[in-house]
Amino acid sequence: MLSTSLSKMSLIVLSGQSYTGPLDMLLLMAIANRFIGFKFFFSTDIDDGSGFYATWFFQFVFAATAATIVSGAVAERTQFGAYLVYSTFITGFIYPVVTHWGWSKTGWLQNQIVSKILFVDFAGSAIVHCTGGIAAFVGALVIGPRIGRFEDGAHDPNPQPGHSTPFAALGAFILFLGFLAFNGGSEQAIVGGDHAVVVAAAFVNTMIGGASGSITAVVLNYCIAWMRGEQKYWSLLQMINGGLTGMVAMCAGCNVLHQGAALGIGAMSGGTLMWLSWATKRMKIDDPLDAFAVHFGGGLVGILSTPVFMNGGIVHWQNCDSQRANYICDLFEYKVFAWNLAGFITITIWSGCMSLIVFYCLKLVKMLRVSEDDEIRGLDIGKHGEPAYPIEAYGHGWSERKSF
Amino acid sequence: MLSTSLSKMSLIVLSGQSYTGPLDMLLLMAIANRFIGFKFFFSTDIDDGSGFYATWFFQFVFAATAATIVSGAVAERTQFGAYLVYSTFITGFIYPVVTHWGWSKTGWLQNQIVSKILFVDFAGSAIVHCTGGIAAFVGALVIGPRIGRFEDGAHDPNPQPGHSTPFAALGAFILFLGFLAFNGGSEQAIVGGDHAVVVAAAFVNTMIGGASGSITAVVLNYCIAWMRGEQKYWSLLQMINGGLTGMVAMCAGCNVLHQGAALGIGAMSGGTLMWLSWATKRMKIDDPLDAFAVHFGGGLVGILSTPVFMNGGIVHWQNCDSQRANYICDLFEYKVFAWNLAGFITITIWSGCMSLIVFYCLKLVKMLRVSEDDEIRGLDIGKHGEPAYPIEAYGHGWSERKSF
Amino acid sequence: MLSTSLSKMSLIVLSGQSYTGPLDMLLLMAIANRFIGFKFFFSTDIDDGSGFYATWFFQFVFAATAATIVSGAVAERTQFGAYLVYSTFITGFIYPVVTHWGWSKTGWLQNQIVSKILFVDFAGSAIVHCTGGIAAFVGALVIGPRIGRFEDGAHDPNPQPGHSTPFAALGAFILFLGFLAFNGGSEQAIVGGDHAVVVAAAFVNTMIGGASGSITAVVLNYCIAWMRGEQKYWSLLQMINGGLTGMVAMCAGCNVLHQGAALGIGAMSGGTLMWLSWATKRMKIDDPLDAFAVHFGGGLVGILSTPVFMNGGIVHWQNCDSQRANYICDLFEYKVFAWNLAGFITITIWSGCMSLIVFYCLKLVKMLRVSEDDEIRGLDIGKHGEPAYPIEAYGHGWSERKSF
């Protein structure tokens, strides 16, 4: 369990050392081509006139987000050294290239190489979450399921619950709060102009999309159990994951969606979570936190639904008659959708293949998975020497008090 | 225990769907009368020139606060469906009407219908906390005490402590931090003019009032045990509740109080908490988190003491001789006090009666309380299917390490 | 365990009542001399034209930080009353004098009494953390080790681990986040001028310094075990403390360091943590959280390394030939280093001696340490009457659910 925390800290460490890519967002062709930037490594030659520090920090936390998604999918069976290696690769190479494509003026998705079409991904549904989500899927696939998760012949996986549901709820609240900063902060300004309005709209849509995803997931979960004749429960953990999926889906367009669209997209996210989670289990891939279903599923819904529902999107399309006055009946909205689809597919292939190389190499050199003994006893004891709840730290804990 | 978390999330969900009332704060009589607003439901016809999104989000979190207060009072015995229903009513109807009264220029408390008297409640001592507090009281009254809480003939209730005091302390820190944003943020601006000074004053007073409430409650608790000849303890939980009560009391006037007044009002809050908590137990009403004593008690102290102690308030009153030069010896300060009192009484009656209807209807249709079996086993198992601390997730947890 | 929380709250309370010193930062000789301010006690005679409220709140949280450092070093054996007394002294007298020296224009370290040399301590490596760190050392020295920590003849101390490693990790994340506000916020402005750039630089350096400290500590810990032939572990708790030490070291110069320097200073911090922690244990001083090693060690590294590595510091020194044109070959950079060294030594002596008086007096009047019985049973039960994990609050906690 501690490994999750460790991996988070390790990537902070590593991205602090190796992170340089995103700076080229602000620079021109002289320092980057359409595929990748090639300057300013290790903070050399910086000039803060271009907002280097703020951009560095902004991109640092986004890179950390992309990498930390993976830790949930490979939890409870991965070596500490493997976390260090894959976090370095994701934050130092895989993600910076993707963010260059989608958020730098010189990147191919933003360089208007086809007409004047721009990739629409305000806060990274595809750039951050599909990248992290597909890497999580690949990681879980390569490392294999936890011991005892799938038994031969059994239809459903064995439950392997986390050790504390209250901690899961606390983590969810922290993530929910963080998503407001993540999505609202993607405007990168709040004083002056319309920035404050955009930030507020991003907050509102993120909240509504997450709420809609939450309630959809929890109701679907209840109804599925009811249809299958099983015991019905209101699942807190599905509510958490549903909310996260909805917020992930909001990343792409939270600045340009009406609240009604946010509500609908959030509901789609809740459904996508359910079937991707089911499909992952059916493929006998063990993703303990449903990181793939949450982040890739939410990213998929967000990146494809935003061009459809956003202000100026397909559903707001005016027919060619009314447009003919301006001679622009060029199906612009559909081209944006196609461009977003192209970006989504490319990002998924790039991030998936690169992750596959990293995880497969780690497996080849036997750095990926802990020993069976360590896995059964728990990594906190075997690898970190610090039990999560040291038994000698607990006394009797009785209460001698009457009135409370 | 999970129900608390669930209810919080559910109200986010529901208020996301149904919340529309507060917008009318910014609008004129054309879209609202003195009692209630009647436009902009479900984000229709919005125009962000009036700051719709920011206002929506601001009021959304305040509405969520009002509703979430109740969850503490009905904890450990309430059906999940009941949370959904009452949260919808409070965030969708009861609270929006109150906030319209007190914070909209067209609401009757702010419409200067009597002379030029305005209701003084900067961040919602009465509007948010009395509303939530009286609803909590009504909820706990209607649903009845937890099994085993009050035994026949026994003088004091049986202790039914929470499962983790460290979690309670963590929650307290989160709430304390949140109160700074709650009270400081009520200025709704920070750049330009004197906004930053008001925000800073609200921070300072909120902190001092909370600190004063904390230490008053913990010292009173110690002294009462000493006078009754019982074992004396320094109670962390009373310190938490005292701090919260003091911060609630600061809501009404944190922008217009001197630090000395904040100190005194905080101390009054600590005392109010103690006797309201005692009175609730004596009435055999089971409020596990003292939500009524904290929020209604703090709100009561804040809304009534602010007109007395604020800058320009009763204690700063200059006698009529000095005022006669300007012919304004009209007891203005006393009228403000009377108007705050009128507002407090009206809000309490409105919120209490409406909550009574909601909870009584829920009880009538048997949607309010879980079965005795579920209550004893815990809602996390019976209703949510996810034990808080799944026993199979814990290994032996031994430590094999010598040097630490 | 609860005592930590209690002490934090108590100091909020007390500093709310007694805190007045730092205001003189903004004032002139009329209200302060070089040693101490002498006006504005208890918020009297305030005039917010000088930003009183914002300064109060800023200094309040810094004073609370200085005092709360101590609670970790005296944890699990200190009376509640002792927390109240020492927190009052540190926040009300010891720290305000130090902050006056280092951050007020009239203080002797900032008053240009020697040439034009100013003390360089942006966010308080020495002013806050050395003050708190040396007080923590003195507290742990005077109160003595926990029962069973050091056995006669034994070489290493017995491990007395905390009750929850996940809670430690959560606390670390909260502190890491808080450090960004602590260091970035020390610029005390963000809108206008170059303030935003400085805040961003402080964020970046704080993050890099912390990351570097983290990884240095965890790798050193691993390597030391390897060299001594012991079982090797990747220690989460060392990673936490290493990160904190690195961030403490960043306080002094996070606004004026290049990222490469931050990386190096962070690494020095990780090493300093390890040997100070080892030295503390060897002196048979029991500092359960390594508060001295983290805060004093980090502060020491920060205050001495900043004049060396900062922009315009010793390593950027240009030889006298190039300076002679301007006749300023006066070894200015070395004087800054000497002045920082003088400030560090003076602050350490002042804070150490004052803390010694406070803790020794507490010991003399037998208010410092709890009874042996209370210590063994745990303070939560004996002193606070509220067990951390009340045994009656736990049911069986079984899981009856198959598919998860």
Side-chain angles (χ1 to χ4, degrees), chain B residues 275-348:
Chain B
W275 78 257
L276 276 184
S277 171
W278 171 86
T280 314
K281 290 197 189 87
R282 187 52 52 102
M283 287 187 277
K284 306 232 183 255
I285 291 172
D286 182 18
D287 182 350
L289 265 57
D290 269 339
F292 169 68
V294 168
H295 293 277
F296 190 82
L300 166 66
V301 170
I303 203 69
L304 296 187
S305 66
T306 296
V308 178
F309 294 104
M310 69 179 181
N311 303 332
I314 292 174
V315 296
H316 297 275
W317 185 69
Q318 297 171 306
N319 67 45
C320 283
D321 288 336
S322 66
Q323 292 187 337
R324 200 156 294 163
N326 298 312
Y327 301 95
I328 54 167
C329 186
D330 60 353
L331 300 175
F332 184 79
E333 296 83 355
Y334 291 90
K335 287 181 187 166
V336 172
F337 179 84
W339 198 237
N340 259 25
L341 181 64
F344 162 72
I345 292 171
T346 319
I347 288 170
T348 303

Side-chain angles (χ1 to χ4, degrees), chain C residues 293-340:
Chain C
V294 168
H295 293 277
F296 190 82
L300 167 66
V301 170
I303 203 67
L304 295 187
S305 67
T306 296
V308 178
F309 294 105
M310 69 178 181
N311 304 331
I314 292 174
V315 296
H316 297 275
W317 185 69
Q318 296 172 305
N319 66 44
C320 284
D321 287 336
S322 67
Q323 293 187 339
R324 199 156 296 162
N326 298 312
Y327 300 94
I328 53 166
C329 186
D330 60 353
L331 300 174
F332 185 79
E333 296 84 354
Y334 291 91
K335 287 181 187 165
V336 173
F337 178 85
W339 199 238
N340 259 25

Side-chain angles (χ1 to χ4, degrees), chain C residues 58-269:
Chain C
F58 179 81
Q59 285 289 347
F60 150 70
V61 291
F62 273 57
T65 302
T68 205
I69 290 167
V70 180
S71 63
V74 299
E76 302 193 335
R77 57 201 191 278
T78 304
Q79 286 197 37
F80 182 66
Y83 284 110
L84 298 184
V85 172
Y86 86 68
S87 295
T88 308
F89 268 87
I90 293 177
T91 58
F93 181 61
I94 300 176
Y95 170 77
V97 168
V98 172
T99 198
H100 177 71
W101 294 353
W103 284 341
S104 163
K105 282 174 190 161
T106 55
W108 68 272
L109 284 167
Q110 288 294 344
N111 201 21
Q112 307 190 330
I113 51 178
V114 180
S115 306
K116 295 184 172 179
I117 309 294
L118 296 174
F119 190 60
V120 177
D121 193 3
F122 182 62
S125 274
I127 292 171
V128 178
H129 294 282
C130 287
T131 294
I134 194 69
F137 181 84
V138 168
L141 176 72
V142 173
I143 199 171
R146 289 168 291 175
I147 296 168
R149 180 66 166 161
F150 297 104
E151 283 180 72
D152 292 341
H155 195 262
D156 287 323
N158 290 322
Q160 293 193 328
H163 69 300
S164 169
T165 311
F167 255 123
L170 175 65
F173 281 123
I174 293 174
L175 279 174
F176 289 173
L177 183 66
F179 254 112
L180 296 176
F182 192 96
N183 287 5
S186 289
E187 176 70 6
Q188 304 200 21
I190 191 163
V191 176
D194 279 340
H195 293 310
V197 173
V198 175
V199 171
F203 268 51
V204 170
N205 282 329
T206 303
M207 193 50 82
I208 291 179
S212 173
S214 259
I215 216 157
T216 305
V218 82
V219 168
L220 271 179
N221 191 60
Y222 191 91
C223 292
I224 290 169
W226 179 63
M227 287 189 298
R228 294 172 63 172
E230 294 171 359
Q231 183 73 32
K232 304 180 295 289
Y233 293 112
W234 298 106
S235 167
L236 174 67
L237 298 174
Q238 292 295 353
M239 184 167 257
I240 289 170
N241 274 353
L244 293 177
T245 312
M247 285 176 153
V248 168
M250 282 299 108
C251 291
C254 55
N255 58 334
V256 289
L257 289 168
H258 185 269
Q259 287 70 59
L263 195 72
I265 295 173
M268 281 188 271
S269 308

Side-chain angles (χ1 to χ4, degrees), chain B residues 38 110-111 139 162 196 201 212 216 234 236 266 278-279 291 310 313 327 330 353 367 395:
Chain B
F38 40 72
Q110 287 294 344
N111 202 20
S212 173
T216 306
W234 299 104
L236 173 68
W278 171 86
M310 69 179 181
Y327 301 95
D330 60 353
C353 292
M367 266 188 70

Side-chain angles (χ1 to χ4, degrees), chain A residues 2 5-6 8-10 12-14 16-17 42-44 46 48 52-54 56-57 60 80 84 149 156-163 167 170 174 191 221 233 235 237 281 381-390 392-394 396-401 404, chain C residues 159-167 169-170 172-173 176 180 191 196-197 200-201 203-205 207-208 210-212 214-215 218 231-240 257-260 263 377 381 384-387 389-392 399-404:
Chain A
L2 296 182
S5 302
L6 281 166
K8 279 180 191 154
M9 269 183 282
S10 72
I12 288 171
V13 169
L14 289 157
Q17 294 169 328
F42 298 101
S43 299
T44 48
I46 58 169
D48 202 68
F52 172 82
Y53 294 116
W56 187 96
F57 194 79
F60 151 69
F80 182 65
L84 297 184
R149 180 67 166 161
D156 287 323
N158 291 323
Q160 295 193 327
H163 67 300
F167 255 123
L170 175 64
I174 292 173
V191 175
N221 190 59
Y233 292 113
S235 167
L237 298 174
K281 288 197 192 86
I381 296 167
K383 300 297 284 184
H384 303 297
E386 287 159 351
Y389 306 100
E392 65 269 45
Y394 289 81
H396 50 66
W398 66 68
S399 167
E400 305 178 325
R401 201 184 176 208
F404 209 71
Chain C
Q160 293 193 328
H163 69 300
S164 169
T165 311
F167 255 123
L170 175 65
F173 281 123
F176 289 173
L180 296 176
V191 176
V197 173
F203 268 51
V204 170
N205 282 329
M207 193 50 82
I208 291 179
S212 173
S214 259
I215 216 157
V218 82
Q231 183 73 32
K232 304 180 295 289
Y233 293 112
W234 298 106
S235 167
L236 174 67
L237 298 174
Q238 292 295 353
M239 184 167 257
I240 289 170
L257 289 168
H258 185 269
Q259 287 70 59
L263 195 72
R377 289 166 65 219
I381 295 167
H384 303 296
E386 287 159 352
Y389 306 99
I391 206 141
E392 65 268 44
S399 167
E400 304 176 328
R401 203 184 177 207
K402 194 64 186 157
S403 166
F404 208 73

